Amino acid sequence: MQGFIIEGGSELKGEIRTSGSKNAALPMIAACLLINDEVRLHDCPCLSDVYSSVKILNTLGCKCSLSGGTLTVNCKAPVSDHIPDRLMRLMRSSALYLGACIGRLGSCTLSYPGGCELGARPIDLHLAALEKMGVCISEKHGVIECTCPGGLHGAHISLSFPSVGATENIMLAAALARGETVIYNSAREPEIADLAEFLRRCGADISGDGSSVIRINGVKALHGCEYSIMPDRIVAATYLCAAALAGGELMVTNSRIGQLRPVADVLCEAGCDIYGYDDRIYISRKRPLRAVKTIRTMPYPGFPTDAQPLITAVLSRAAGVSVVAENIFENRFRANPELVRMGARIRTEGRVAVIEGTDRLYGARVMAADLRAGAALTAAAISAQGITELGNIEYIDRGYERLEKALSSVGAVITRTQI
Ligand code: UD1
């Protein structure tokens, strides 16, 4: 098993650049399946989830190459509509190949997606929406078979929850479907708007992205384009939280504060100074941290669930009592028991964590149970006294490009090793 050895106690100082967004890149890579032409995606992060997406496209008969941060995808000739179970299990975003495959080929056979175990993570909203668009779905022995006997057509779809993945899947299926699709209560995350902008550059007719009603008029075909993927707002939040924990000052470049308001506001309330201008965010933490008012995770523009483990780590060192309620995923407190091993005082009951801040965390042997839990433990360990051995960092590699290198460049002491 790969691990990080983290020597705590150093402040962070300097400039650090945020990579392209994983959660924007993955649906765009799936969208390439709809395009009978070459696509070049710039600022594509080098992550295991991106490699898994490339494996899926290659298996379907497309050609992909990743070099110097640019992913080139050519899906002129997809030959298969079958995604093997072993590839589906690699990540959650494999579910998006449902909409993309149906949109391009009119049929698809796959199984349930894998990904971080943050809770049940069903795809019922995705499936119900596709059924409304004319897809016949049958499920046997864990295999989902989708056909479209009358062709794919537009539909009015009201989501009972603004699911990010369901909104993306519907957008992918609707881009080439016959007629108009309207998604009510769609997700408003910036990654949805980035996907819409990418599809528009390829000739799609989409409007309303960024609001809770998205309209898609199906077009006959999409063409290739070059596109620069938006910065990863959760990676930026990770750097900000690491600086808040360790102290010091950081300039986080290629980051937009407008997309990170709730996180920046909480960090300010906890005692950090934060300024955003153009595409950079400056953070300084000189004073001891203090507790904040209750935090509740919500769909965008609320407090992002992906930043919740990170902020919980920050609050574990904030004087006073803070409360965090997790409203999106039932199993997203998996960093908490590990933070407790490091000396944090956190009581977790169901979807609520009560954090009594302590002025010191200690190095310990801990495990990453999922992607953001791993990032939170890394940030906590940088600020802890002594050495932390963090295992299961494969999870971290799903969403961060060499996190240890990035943080070491601004003063953290982290090495990757076999543990
Ligand atoms: C995406 C992000 C993930 C982020 C999450 C919420 C990617 C690759 N992942 O995940 O990092 O934490 O948005 O911002 O972009 N749900 C259902 N049925 C469905 C779909 C979802 O009940 O068919 C539930 C989920 O179990 C969860 C909630 O809706 O409780 C939100 O899920 P969703 O917005 O779909 O998240 P993902 O797209 O999986």
Side-chain angles (χ1 to χ4, degrees):
M1 169 175 62
Q2 290 226 318
F4 286 158
I5 304 292
I6 303 164
E7 202 179 314
S10 20
E11 290 200 337
L12 299 187
K13 198 169 178 49
E15 192 171 295
I16 191 165
R17 183 180 185 274
T18 301
S19 59
S21 161
K22 166 178 88 78
N23 288 354
L26 299 180
M28 279 180 213
I29 298 171
C32 289
L33 194 54
L34 297 166
I35 302 161
N36 187 6
D37 204 350
E38 188 170 284
V39 172
R40 286 162 71 82
L41 293 172
H42 302 298
D43 226 353
C44 183
C46 298
L47 310 167
S48 55
D49 275 9
V50 167
Y51 304 143
S52 302
S53 306
V54 163
K55 270 188 204 154
I56 293 179
L57 284 184
N58 285 340
T59 302
L60 294 177
C62 308
K63 291 195 169 57
C64 310
S65 66
L66 181 58
S67 152
T70 296
L71 177 67
T72 305
V73 181
N74 191 321
C75 290
K76 278 194 178 142
V79 286
S80 170
D81 65 354
H82 177 84
I83 305 176
D85 183 59
R86 75 188 148 78
L87 296 182
M88 285 302 293
R89 284 178 187 274
L90 291 176
M91 57 174 181
R92 169 74 183 172
S93 290
S94 53
L96 297 175
Y97 288 85
L98 199 55
C101 229
I102 289 280
R104 175 71 182 265
L105 302 163
S107 63
C108 184
T109 304
L110 38 66
S111 52
Y112 279 92
C116 287
E117 287 163 18
L118 308 175
R121 302 191 86 173
I123 53 167
D124 54 320
L125 301 176
H126 306 228
L127 298 177
L130 290 172
E131 277 180 332
K132 271 198 118 176
M133 297 177 73
V135 180
C136 294
I137 301 171
S138 72
E139 228 186 297
K140 240 187 237 158
H141 310 298
V143 175
I144 307 171
E145 270 193 34
C146 302
T147 52
C148 220
L152 198 61
H153 56 76
H156 283 218
I157 296 158
S158 289
L159 292 175
S160 57
F161 184 89
S163 154
V164 173
T167 303
E168 292 167 345
N169 234 334
I170 299 166
M171 287 165 71
L172 296 182
L176 294 176
R178 201 171 63 237
E180 186 189 53
T181 298
V182 185
I183 315 172
Y184 298 98
N185 196 26
S186 56
R188 292 186 284 165
E189 268 68 2
E191 292 77 13
I192 299 278
D194 212 35
L195 173 63
E197 183 55 27
F198 165 71
L199 287 169
R200 273 192 291 269
R201 297 269 184 95
C202 298
D205 181 356
I206 303 181
S207 59
D209 45 290
S211 80
S212 48
V213 181
I214 298 180
R215 287 172 198 276
I216 305 128
N217 272 300
V219 294
K220 289 256 177 298
L222 297 173
H223 52 74
C225 79
E226 293 207 19
Y227 192 76
S228 291
I229 298 169
M230 64 174 273
D232 196 312
R233 62 194 168 100
I234 306 302
V235 170
T238 304
Y239 297 153
L240 294 176
C241 290
L245 274 157
E249 51 185 342
L250 269 193
M251 181 66 83
V252 184
T253 62
N254 194 37
S255 299
R256 303 170 191 160
I257 198 161
Q259 296 176 344
L260 272 174
R261 266 296 157 213
V263 178
D265 286 352
V266 170
L267 290 174
C268 284
E269 195 186 340
C272 302
D273 293 312
I274 300 192
Y275 308 98
Y277 46 95
D278 298 334
D279 67 341
R280 43 186 53 209
I281 306 174
Y282 167 84
I283 180 167
S284 152
R285 207 272 286 167
K286 304 274 188 227
R287 298 182 293 272
L289 293 164
R290 50 177 188 260
V292 300
K293 289 192 289 295
T294 301
I295 295 171
R296 295 177 181 83
T297 62
M298 306 275 252
Y300 191 87
F303 193 95
T305 171
D306 293 74
Q308 178 272 110
L310 293 152
I311 213 76
T312 299
V314 172
L315 296 174
S316 73
R317 292 208 45 199
V321 176
S322 305
V323 175
V324 174
E326 171 58 57
N327 294 316
I328 308 293
F329 291 111
E330 66 266 28
N331 199 10
R332 202 153 210 179
F333 279 135
R334 299 174 85 194
N336 293 4
E338 305 297 299
L339 287 168
V340 168
R341 285 173 188 250
M342 298 174 71
R345 293 194 284 245
I346 305 176
R347 264 188 306 124
T348 311
E349 284 192 25
R351 288 181 175 243
V352 175
V354 179
I355 306 150
E356 191 188 330
T358 168
D359 62 353
R360 197 158 294 173
L361 294 177
Y362 297 95
R365 282 198 83 205
V366 290
M367 291 288 171
D370 62 55
L371 164 59
R372 305 302 172 191
L377 291 167
T378 305
I382 295 170
S383 80
Q385 200 175 70
I387 297 202
T388 295
E389 197 179 298
L390 171 60
N392 274 349
I393 59 167
E394 307 71 58
Y395 282 115
I396 299 178
D397 292 335
R398 299 179 86 124
Y400 295 86
E401 269 183 350
R402 290 272 162 181
L403 182 62
E404 77 281 17
K405 269 199 181 167
L407 290 170
S408 298
S409 74
V410 288
V413 184
I414 311 180
T415 48
R416 179 183 287 254
T417 178
Q418 209 61 33
I419 57 174

